[in-house]
């Protein structure tokens, strides 16, 4: 029984460490501002670089998850049978159960925060009207087909292709 408790404690503390590393990471959102292969730059954004509403919600959920993970680690340490702190075996069992509940709540908070952030990023990426993130991409090749839709121009009776705007020129970011 002690071996299972020690491995569970190691997994819980390892998960807590991974949660802290993920919360402090600056690689939550990665965009490129590439005008060519040679001058490509990568822009990394984390939870601490922006103050948008959904990012503040994600930040709060991740901080709550870190706090709960910390207390869950402490409770798990006190609830183990091999430690002398915590009282009788019945009290230690209750503390270990509390540690499990706190770890589950921590996982739910972190999962909710990450899912909210990922949903917002993918929604913005696939939204054709959201141009803030897409401005860094070059506008040539197959994507120029999207802008070369044909329009009917007056009474001429034929369709003429329109050219893309100059803000999407392939040299716009040089």
């Amino acid at each position: 029984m002690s071996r299972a408790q020690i491995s569970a404690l190691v997994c819980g503390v390892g998960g807590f460490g991974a949660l802290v590393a993920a919360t402090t990471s600056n690689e939550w959102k990665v965009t490129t501002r590439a005008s060519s292969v040679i001058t490509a730059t990568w822009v990394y954004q984390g939870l601490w670089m922006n103050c948008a509403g959904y990012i503040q919600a994600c930040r709060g959920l991740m901080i709550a998850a870190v706090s709960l993970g910390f207390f869950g680690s402490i409770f798990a340490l006190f609830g183990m049978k091999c430690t002398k702190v915590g009282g009788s075996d019945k009290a230690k069992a209750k503390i270990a159960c509390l540690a499990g509940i706190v770890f589950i709540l921590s996982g739910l908070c972190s999962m909710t925060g990450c899912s909210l952030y990922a949903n917002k990023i993918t929604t913005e990426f696939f939204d054709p009207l959201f141009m803030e993130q897409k401005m860094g991409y070059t506008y040539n090749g197959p994507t120029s087909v999207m802008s070369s839709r044909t329009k009917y121009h007056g009474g001429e009776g034929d369709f003429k292709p329109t050219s893309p705007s100059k803000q999407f020129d392939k040299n716009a970011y040089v």
Side-chain angles (χ1 to χ4, degrees):
M1 187 67 168
S2 180
R3 198 175 287 172
Q5 284 184 345
I6 291 173
S7 62
L9 177 70
V10 168
C11 287
V13 171
F16 169 68
L19 180 63
V20 169
T23 302
T24 60
S25 174
N26 283 334
E27 296 182 3
W28 280 67
K29 179 177 164 184
V30 180
T31 55
T32 180
R33 304 209 186 275
S35 58
S36 70
V37 177
I38 298 170
T39 61
T41 57
W42 296 90
V43 178
Y44 297 98
Q45 292 181 2
L47 291 177
W48 312 104
M49 306 231 179
N50 202 346
C51 288
Y54 73 95
I55 293 178
Q56 288 179 351
C58 295
R59 191 182 306 156
L61 284 167
M62 294 301 283
I63 289 172
V66 168
S67 300
L68 287 170
F70 174 75
F71 289 118
S73 299
I74 299 298
F75 293 152
L77 185 63
F78 288 152
M80 292 177 61
K81 284 187 178 180
C82 60
T83 59
K84 302 287 183 197
V85 182
S88 67
D89 285 341
K90 192 173 185 178
K92 284 183 178 257
K94 288 181 181 179
I95 292 172
C97 183
L98 178 65
I101 292 170
V102 170
F103 274 135
I104 289 171
L105 289 174
S106 174
L108 288 174
C109 283
S110 65
M111 186 174 60
T112 304
C114 292
S115 298
L116 177 66
Y117 195 89
N119 181 38
K120 187 67 173 175
I121 296 301
T122 54
T123 302
E124 288 175 356
F125 182 76
F126 290 113
D127 185 12
L129 301 176
F130 186 77
M131 294 306 296
E132 178 182 329
Q133 183 174 344
K134 295 180 181 107
M135 294 301 280
Y137 298 111
T138 58
Y139 198 78
N140 55 9
T143 57
S144 63
V145 173
M146 296 298 288
S147 68
S148 63
R149 296 182 194 146
T150 57
K151 289 184 179 178
Y152 180 72
H153 292 285
E156 297 173 355
D158 61 342
F159 290 97
K160 295 182 182 177
T162 60
S163 61
S165 65
K166 281 301 191 184
Q167 72 181 18
F168 295 118
D169 189 19
K170 72 176 187 175
N171 295 323
Y173 299 101
V174 175

